[in-house]
Each structure stands twice: as structure tokens, then as C-alpha cells.
Amino acid sequence: MTPHDLPHGAVLRPARPGDEPGLLECIHRLAVYEREPDAVENTIERISATFFGPDPKAFAHVVERDGAIVGIAVWFLTYSTWTGTHGIWLEDLFVAESERGRGFGKALIASLAHECAIRGYARLEWTVLDWNAPSIAFYRSLGATPMDEWTTQRLTGEPLATLGAALD
């Protein structure tokens, strides 16, 4: 992805080394918005290794305005056994509250749709909290449809450790 100029003097671009503090700040602000202000365990060092290490497994696009990162789209690759192609999983989308309504969120998602198009990927997917009406409305305005028959499952903590230890 090449950088794109956005309204209000902002630039949409891939994340790059040096963006770690801005990425982490947006992650913290997203956690506050999602009512989990103490849940973030990520660090600048982890972000650096994950996004900019020798074999990155996650990626980010950012919106930068006046030298600050004001929006992020954090993503990674998925794979569909049915289509035989990769897709993109949007892990986090965040635009600072003071910057909303300027088209930055739409530009971030459009950048991921563009990645799908140029790479031949079949899907762009994400989850949204069921109480987050503004985001749901925004996603519907883009043409996104809910996957009502699917329920996200997760293993963490002790159940994850216990299951993993079953093969020891």
C-alpha cells in the first residue's frame, strides 16, 4: 500500500518502525472505548517485534495527522478452505474520538479492501461488540453483513494451558 492523502491534512499509510507509541496509544484508547481499560497487556517492544520483526504476523495501517497517529487498522491473514484463498481479519479499527466523522475509518477499511483486491483475497472479516450501535451502523453503511449463524469461540488462560498440556 502506498500512502494516500486524506482530508484535513491526514495521511493513510502502512505502519512503520517508530509508530509503536502511537499504535499502543490507540490500542489503549480502544480498550477504554470497549469498556476494558485495564485489559491491555501489549507493550512497545511487543508491537515492534510483531509488526516490524524479521517475520511479521500482524500488520497495521494508520492515519497520521499533524504528526500523531489518530487511527489504526490492525490486521492479519486468514485462510478459507472453501475458497482456497487468503483473507484479511481486521482485529482492531480505531479512530480517535476527536477525529471521527472525517472519513478516516472508512479510509482504513477501504485500504484493507484494496489489499484484498490487489492480492486476490476473498474476504475481509471482523467482529463488533453487539452493544456498539454506532460501529454496527457504520459497517452496514459500507455494505458489511452480519454472520448471524456464527458465534466466536475463544480459549484463554487456564483452559488454553490445560488443553495445550494434553499433548505433553
Side-chain angles (χ1 to χ4, degrees):
M1 175 192 157
T2 58
H4 292 278
D5 291 333
L6 298 176
H8 308 282
V11 175
L12 169 66
R13 61 172 175 77
R16 60 184 180 224
D19 288 340
E20 296 90 343
L23 287 163
L24 187 57
E25 175 64 22
C26 285
I27 291 166
H28 277 286
R29 292 168 79 179
L30 176 62
V32 169
Y33 177 81
E34 291 186 352
R35 305 175 185 165
E36 294 283 343
D38 299 322
V40 177
E41 298 177 14
N42 210 342
T43 65
I44 288 174
E45 294 77 20
R46 286 180 182 170
I47 290 171
S48 182
T50 300
F51 293 96
F52 312 118
D55 188 23
K57 300 293 188 218
F59 311 91
H61 292 175
V62 301
V63 173
E64 182 179 8
R65 184 168 179 254
D66 297 329
I69 294 175
V70 299
I72 61 171
V74 175
W75 58 280
F76 55 88
L77 295 181
T78 61
Y79 180 76
S80 169
T81 57
W82 290 10
T83 66
T85 62
H86 285 289
I88 287 178
W89 183 268
L90 172 60
E91 179 65 18
D92 285 324
L93 177 71
F94 177 79
V95 175
E97 189 171 354
S98 63
E99 304 293 331
R100 293 181 190 152
R102 297 180 175 183
F104 298 163
K106 184 176 182 178
L108 284 162
I109 291 186
S111 74
L112 299 185
H114 181 74
E115 291 285 341
C116 287
I118 63 173
R119 296 177 184 212
Y121 296 166
R123 297 177 178 166
L124 171 56
E125 298 176 295
W126 63 92
T127 58
V128 60
L129 292 164
D130 60 6
W131 57 259
N132 193 347
S135 293
I136 292 169
F138 168 64
Y139 297 142
R140 294 297 169 273
S141 77
L142 299 176
T145 56
M147 301 290 293
D148 292 331
E149 59 278 350
W150 294 87
T151 303
T152 302
Q153 304 294 305
R154 178 178 290 166
L155 277 172
T156 62
E158 187 59 34
L160 177 63
T162 300
L163 185 59
L167 293 180
D168 286 342

